[in-house]
């Protein structure tokens, strides 16, 4: 992302001295924007301007790495406000918090629960990302002990929450090597917090009281030479968090550097349903990390599923798993329908089949998630691929007949498919909307 | 969204001239309504060359009022007479469009403050006292001067409609690709980028089959970033071309009736 001519011009000295070889500063800015000149040609450009112009080539939202080892993850590098414009890059990290007021047994029990928040969605494993340790006790030793205990019981990176630099130092002495998130540098403690974060090279949350104070504080922190940051505008009320998250992302994309970092948001609520809804909102609205209190799987699963959906790449077709889908508890005499694993194709077929009230098996051939006719044209929906799938999944072993139904759009495949599968191939309707009447006329009355 | 600036309310046309002379708003209103139905977003208002400089002031205000009484559209106030410009802006409802400034410092220093004062958008031509530049690079250099000056007066780039100047293809053929290249580059000058416009009918002056030339150039220009054009909104094929180009450029969501919808916005 290059700078525009106007942005460069605003940083130039506007002397029109011609020493750069251009007639005016404006002309020089145009040359820079077009990549036809270097900034070094201007002897009068200030250090601040040079820094601003250099940093412009950096991505709008910095990449921040959290943790070490297998459970380490990345945030940032986002480039859009809306996922349909391109895609969201790095899924929101979900943190579950434990308090240092809890007893050692309570901490262990909750961490054990957190460790089990691993879910299987469409054939992939999805899990939470962080355990947050909160210094509710105000006691530095307790905080460090809890951090140590949590670290010993989980592989997830930690999020250390204390505004007390002394307590943070103690906790970092036990957990700092694993690059935990340090929460948070505020106006009162930022010098000490920056020094600690620097020492352990850990990502540091900068917390303001509002957007203005956040921008000021980030400028102070970056002036100290630390840029491994995460932002907290201090907002806690839902509407305010959405507004602030939106502003931070929007300004970052306009290359407002103080907001060019991932964010953290707190979904905390005594009611776990509200907490789950808050977390979902923040996942949709740009949060880098969402902190929750509940470790009950029913409240986490919905957030994880939403995160998976929001962060899928809209430019890639969405595929369902290639497998046998059993609709309405089919028995051995149920029909077997063949389609592709494009999610839209599958859900159309599944929806219309369910509407027919006829229990059925739907088999999705892996076509890399493209539709029936597209896959046919691309040579991915062929008698061979259908036969392979039918055999591999063993669907004919579930039924007492020897018939498979293929989409009407690929009727030409029926002969060869019959040959390769050894099945009787029935050509279904062109549109899945025709499935209910097709069943009535061709399946139930046979 | 592509913005059509309807060119028809201009004292150069006989019926408008008669309306002005007889103080009869009927023709002005008719053209306002007709152009609105054809999909115009702005109504260009030009007193034409007949009246004296003093008379133009009052005529401009009258034309703007007549047009806005008939339809709920903003006007592009098209005059080189600054007193008439200000008179038009004073009576205008909503956000007006000043048509036009050039990259001459004296003009920029009058018209940009006027745009800021009346919160109007402004058309700015990429030319100065030395005339129309030849290459795309020279046009862009002037566009940059317009942009930097507008910025200095606090005018957002999205309110600045830069016109890279289109010349007749029969006598200035080599300017055609330069204007197109300039349009492409102008959209890269700032973020948000300035808007762009052209006086479309210029491309076909005194050439045969003007509508074909106009609509072909319009599609080509929209492809490289044209946001608006002063054009004949009554030319149905031309408006259809704008609608179609806007679909192909993914500026409006496709539907089968997109040509109809384009006129109803």
């Amino acid at each position: 992302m290059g700078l525009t001519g106007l942005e460069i011009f605003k940083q130039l000295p506007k002397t029109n001295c011609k020493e750069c070889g251009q007639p005016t500063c404006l002309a020089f800015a145009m040359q820079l924007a077009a990549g036809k000149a270097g900034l070094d040609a201007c002897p009068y450009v200030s250090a601040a301007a040079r820094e601003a112009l250099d940093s412009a080539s950096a991505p709008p939202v910095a990449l921040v790495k959290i943790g070490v080892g297998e459970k380490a993850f990345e945030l940032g590098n986002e480039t859009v406000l809306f996922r349909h414009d391109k895609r969201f890059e790095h899924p929101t990290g979900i943190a579950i918090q434990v308090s240092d007021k809890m007893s050692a047994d309570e901490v262990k029990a909750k961490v054990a629960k957190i460790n089990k928040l691993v879910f299987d969605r469409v054939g992939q494993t999805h899990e939470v990302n962080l355990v947050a340790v909160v210094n509710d006790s105000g006691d530095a030793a307790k905080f460090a002990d809890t951090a140590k205990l949590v670290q010993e019981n989980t592989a997830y990176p930690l999020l250390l929450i204390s505004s007390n630099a002394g307590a943070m130092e103690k906790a970092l002495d036990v957990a700092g090597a694993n690059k935990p998130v340090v929460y948070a540098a505020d106006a009162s403690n930022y010098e000490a917090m920056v020094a600690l974060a620097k020492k352990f090279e850990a990502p540091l949350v900068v917390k303001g009281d509002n957007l203005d104070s956040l921008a000021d504080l980030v400028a102070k922190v970056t002036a100290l030479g630390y840029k491994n940051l995460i932002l907290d505008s201090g907002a806690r009320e839902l509407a305010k968090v959405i507004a602030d998250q939106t502003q931070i992302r929007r300004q970052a994309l306009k290359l407002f550097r103080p907001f060019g970092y991932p964010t953290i948001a707190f979904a905390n609520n005594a009611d776990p349903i509200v907490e789950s809804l808050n977390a979902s909102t923040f996942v949709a609205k740009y949060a880098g990390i969402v902190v929750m209190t509940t470790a009950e799987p029913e409240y986490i699963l919905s957030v994880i599923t939403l995160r998976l959906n929001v962060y899928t790449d809209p430019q890639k077709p969405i595929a369902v798993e290639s497998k046998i889908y059993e609709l309405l508890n089919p028995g051995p005499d149920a029909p077997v329908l063949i389609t592709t694993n494009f999610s839209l194709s599958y859900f159309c077929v599944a929806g219309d089949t369910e509407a027919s009230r006829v229990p059925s098996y739907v088999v999705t051939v892996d076509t890399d998630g493209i539709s029936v006719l597209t896959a046919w044209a691309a040579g991915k929906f062929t008698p061979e691929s259908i036969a392979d799938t039918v055999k591999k999944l063993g669907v004919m072993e579930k039924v007492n007949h020897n018939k498979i139904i293929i989409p009407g759009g690929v009727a030409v495949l029926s002969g060869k498919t019959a040959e390769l599968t050894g099945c009787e191939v029935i050509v279904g309707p062109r549109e899945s909307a025709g499935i209910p009447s097709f069943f009535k006329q061709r399946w139930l009355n046979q | 969204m592509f913005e059509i600036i309807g060119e028809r309310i201009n004292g150069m046309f006989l019926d408008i001239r008669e309306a002005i002379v007889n103080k009869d708003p009927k023709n002005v209103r008719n053209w306002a309504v007709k152009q609105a139905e054809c999909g115009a977003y702005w109504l260009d208002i030009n007193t034409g060359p007949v009246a004296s400089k003093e008379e133009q002031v009052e005529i401009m205000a009258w034309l703007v009022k007549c047009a806005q009484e008939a339809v709920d559209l903003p006007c592009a106030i098209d005059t080189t007479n600054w007193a008439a410009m200000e008179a038009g802006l004073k009576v205008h409802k909503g956000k007006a469009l000043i048509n036009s400034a050039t990259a001459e410092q004296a003009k920029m220093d009058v018209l940009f403050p006027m745009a800021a004062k009346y919160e109007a958008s402004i058309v700015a031509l990429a030319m100065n006292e030395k005339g129309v530049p030849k290459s795309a690079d020279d046009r862009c250099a002037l566009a940059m001067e317009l942009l930097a000056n507008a910025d200095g007066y606090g005018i957002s780039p999205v309110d600045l409609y830069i016109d890279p100047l289109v010349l007749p293809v029969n006598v200035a053929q080599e300017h055609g690709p330069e204007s197109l290249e300039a349009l492409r580059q102008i959209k890269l000058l700032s973020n948000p980028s300035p808007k762009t416009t052209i006086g479309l009918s210029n491309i076909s002056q005194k050439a045969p089959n003007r509508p074909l030339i106009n609509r072909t150039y319009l599609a080509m220009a929209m492809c490289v970033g044209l946001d608006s054009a002063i054009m004949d909104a009554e030319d149905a094929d031309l408006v259809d071309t704008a609608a179609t180009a806007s679909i192909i450029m993914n500026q409006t969501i496709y539907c089968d009736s997109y040509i109809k919808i384009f006129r109803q916005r």
Side-chain angles (χ1 to χ4, degrees):
Chain A
M1 178 174 318
L3 270 184
T4 66
L6 187 64
E7 285 161 324
I8 296 170
F9 174 66
K10 285 183 178 175
Q11 301 286 347
L12 293 180
K14 304 184 184 67
T15 50
N16 295 335
C17 66
K18 304 187 175 61
E19 286 181 43
C20 60
Q22 296 297 326
T24 59
C25 290
L26 202 50
F28 182 54
M30 300 270 294
Q31 293 288 313
L32 283 174
K36 291 177 189 160
L39 193 57
D40 293 336
C42 175
Y44 304 110
V45 66
S46 71
R50 191 178 294 275
E51 159 82 22
L53 295 172
D54 280 347
S55 72
S57 55
V61 181
L63 189 72
V64 172
K65 291 178 184 158
I66 293 165
V68 292
E70 206 180 301
K71 302 288 187 191
F73 66 102
E74 294 181 338
L75 297 175
N77 263 6
E78 302 295 339
T79 55
V80 291
L81 269 179
F82 303 103
R83 65 186 282 274
H84 59 250
D85 287 340
K86 193 175 172 201
R87 78 185 81 85
F88 288 167
E89 300 286 346
H90 291 107
T92 308
I94 297 171
I96 312 289
Q97 70 180 47
V98 298
S99 167
D100 69 352
K101 273 185 171 172
M102 292 157 76
S103 72
D105 286 343
E106 284 172 327
V107 169
K108 273 191 199 164
K110 185 153 187 190
V111 171
K113 239 179 182 175
I114 295 169
N115 287 336
K116 280 196 212 146
L117 294 173
V118 179
F119 304 92
D120 184 58
R121 304 297 294 168
V122 288
Q124 298 166 320
T125 306
H126 294 273
E127 53 190 14
V128 297
N129 309 86
L130 291 152
V131 181
V133 182
V134 189
N135 184 203
D136 288 323
S137 68
D139 182 311
K142 259 191 187 164
F143 185 51
D145 287 347
T146 311
K148 185 161 183 280
L149 185 61
V150 171
Q151 182 165 265
E152 283 164 358
N153 284 283
T154 187
Y156 292 120
L158 301 191
L159 164 61
L160 300 172
I161 301 185
S162 175
S163 55
N164 177 345
M168 189 60 75
E169 183 165 19
K170 277 210 156 107
L172 283 171
D173 280 337
V174 297
N178 291 329
K179 305 246 160 38
V181 180
V182 177
Y183 184 101
D186 58 32
S188 65
N189 67 10
Y190 75 92
E191 278 158 323
M193 286 290 189
V194 169
L196 285 173
K198 251 188 189 172
K199 182 175 163 196
F200 291 97
E201 295 172 5
L204 173 67
V205 179
V206 179
K207 180 175 183 283
D209 300 322
N210 52 47
L211 290 176
D212 286 338
S213 79
L214 177 63
D216 288 347
L217 194 56
V218 171
K220 284 180 190 160
V221 169
T222 50
L224 294 173
Y226 206 61
K227 292 189 168 178
N228 191 8
L229 307 178
I230 296 170
L231 307 180
D232 180 358
S233 73
R236 292 297 178 265
E237 189 199 334
L238 181 65
K240 187 76 187 126
V241 178
I242 297 173
D244 284 2
Q245 289 280 346
T246 307
Q247 275 310 322
I248 290 172
R249 171 66 61 86
R250 193 180 283 170
Q251 298 308 326
L253 297 185
K254 287 186 185 168
L255 298 183
F256 179 65
R257 289 298 164 187
F259 286 171
Y261 303 93
T263 57
I264 187 169
F266 290 82
N268 304 4
N269 193 289
D271 180 347
I273 294 179
V274 175
E275 180 170 285
S276 192
L277 287 169
N278 285 350
S280 300
T281 308
F282 303 152
V283 165
K285 282 295 174 196
Y286 320 126
I289 295 175
V290 165
V291 185
M292 300 178 70
T293 52
T294 178
E296 300 304 324
E298 62 267 40
Y299 301 116
I300 304 298
L301 175 61
S302 59
V303 180
I304 283 189
T305 308
L306 180 78
R307 176 181 71 178
L308 165 66
N309 283 328
V310 168
Y311 279 85
T312 50
D313 187 344
Q315 289 165 349
K316 287 189 195 143
I318 303 169
V320 295
E321 201 184 340
S322 170
K323 66 168 196 179
I324 304 166
Y325 293 85
E326 302 190 352
L327 305 178
L328 310 170
N329 297 319
D333 54 350
V336 175
L337 296 132
I338 311 289
T339 187
T340 73
N341 75 330
F342 178 38
S343 65
L344 273 179
S345 299
Y346 167 71
F347 285 115
C348 285
V349 170
D352 288 320
T353 303
E354 283 183 342
S356 76
R357 312 303 307 153
V358 177
S360 308
Y361 297 98
V362 175
V363 174
T364 52
V365 175
D366 184 357
T367 55
D368 297 330
I370 59 179
S371 70
V372 168
L373 288 177
T374 316
W376 175 61
K380 287 180 180 169
F381 195 49
T382 59
E384 290 79 9
S385 70
I386 294 172
D388 281 353
T389 308
V390 167
K391 277 179 196 157
K392 190 182 76 196
L393 297 176
V395 63
M396 300 321 282
E397 286 140 41
K398 291 178 177 271
V399 292
N400 58 14
H401 58 79
N402 193 30
K403 299 179 181 110
I404 60 174
I405 302 165
I406 64 169
V410 289
V412 293
L413 302 183
S414 59
K416 188 82 186 290
T417 304
E419 212 174 284
L420 292 177
T421 55
C423 297
E424 182 189 333
V425 174
I426 304 173
V427 176
R430 287 188 68 91
E431 301 291 336
S432 66
I435 288 176
S437 62
F438 168 81
F439 279 160
K440 251 186 218 159
Q441 290 159 16
R442 298 279 308 276
W443 188 266
L444 301 176
N445 298 332
Q446 60 188 327
Chain B
M1 187 181 79
F2 186 77
E3 298 170 11
I4 294 172
I5 306 171
E7 67 187 4
R8 192 54 177 71
I9 304 179
N10 188 322
M12 197 178 69
F13 293 101
L14 188 62
D15 54 356
I16 300 295
R17 199 183 308 160
E18 279 172 359
I20 293 170
V21 172
N22 302 333
K23 284 264 168 210
D24 177 3
K26 196 178 86 228
N27 285 337
V28 180
R29 285 187 180 163
N30 285 351
W31 276 111
V33 171
K34 205 179 277 181
Q35 293 185 98
E37 283 167 355
C38 291
Y41 181 89
W42 303 92
L43 299 176
D44 195 71
I45 309 279
N46 189 316
T47 59
V50 277
S52 73
K53 261 190 143 358
E54 292 71 35
E55 288 165 336
Q56 282 176 3
V57 176
E58 195 194 325
I59 294 169
M60 180 58 84
W62 180 76
L63 284 172
V64 168
K65 270 198 248 170
C66 292
Q68 287 205 313
E69 274 162 18
V71 291
D72 194 17
L73 283 186
C75 297
I77 301 172
D78 184 1
T79 176
T80 51
N81 179 344
W82 294 342
M85 179 71 74
E86 184 138 25
L89 290 171
K90 263 187 191 151
V91 298
H92 188 272
K93 289 179 287 184
K95 195 178 192 78
L97 180 61
I98 291 176
N99 188 9
S100 57
T102 69
E104 289 163 75
Q105 199 63 47
K107 279 197 186 175
M108 293 192 286
D109 287 341
V110 172
L111 290 168
F112 286 155
M114 208 188 278
K117 180 178 169 192
Y118 290 95
E119 293 176 15
S121 295
I122 183 164
V123 173
L125 312 179
M127 63 178 286
N128 57 14
E129 53 280 1
K130 290 178 201 148
V132 177
K134 189 146 194 183
S135 71
D137 282 351
D138 291 347
R139 284 171 155 92
C140 273
L142 292 176
M144 190 65 204
E145 278 189 35
L146 290 165
L147 194 60
N149 275 280
D151 186 69
Y153 284 108
I155 296 168
S156 162
V158 298
D159 284 328
L160 185 65
Y161 289 66
I162 295 182
D163 182 343
L165 291 166
V166 173
L167 298 184
V169 68
N170 52 356
V171 294
Q173 195 172 1
E174 67 282 7
H175 281 268
E178 299 295 335
S179 297
L180 290 173
E181 176 58 21
L183 279 171
R184 198 184 61 75
Q185 288 184 22
I186 287 167
K187 295 304 285 182
L188 303 175
L189 288 179
S190 66
N191 182 15
S193 53
K195 288 194 176 156
T196 50
T197 194
I198 52 175
L200 179 63
S201 313
N202 260 351
I203 188 74
S204 60
Q205 285 284 354
K206 301 259 163 44
N209 203 347
R210 295 190 63 181
L212 175 63
I213 298 173
N214 291 346
R215 63 179 182 261
T216 304
Y217 197 76
L218 179 66
M220 295 169 77
M222 284 178 70
C223 177
V224 289
L226 184 69
D227 297 303
S228 70
I230 302 169
M231 59 183 245
D232 179 4
E234 260 220 311
D235 180 342
D237 288 342
L238 183 60
V239 177
D240 289 354
T241 301
T244 309
S246 137
I247 289 293
I248 292 174
M249 291 303 289
N250 192 23
Q251 290 162 354
T252 23
I253 296 175
Y254 179 85
C255 67
D256 286 351
S257 54
Y258 71 88
I259 288 203
K260 190 172 138 210
I261 300 297
F262 184 80
R263 289 174 166 80
Q264 291 172 349
R265 296 166 309 160

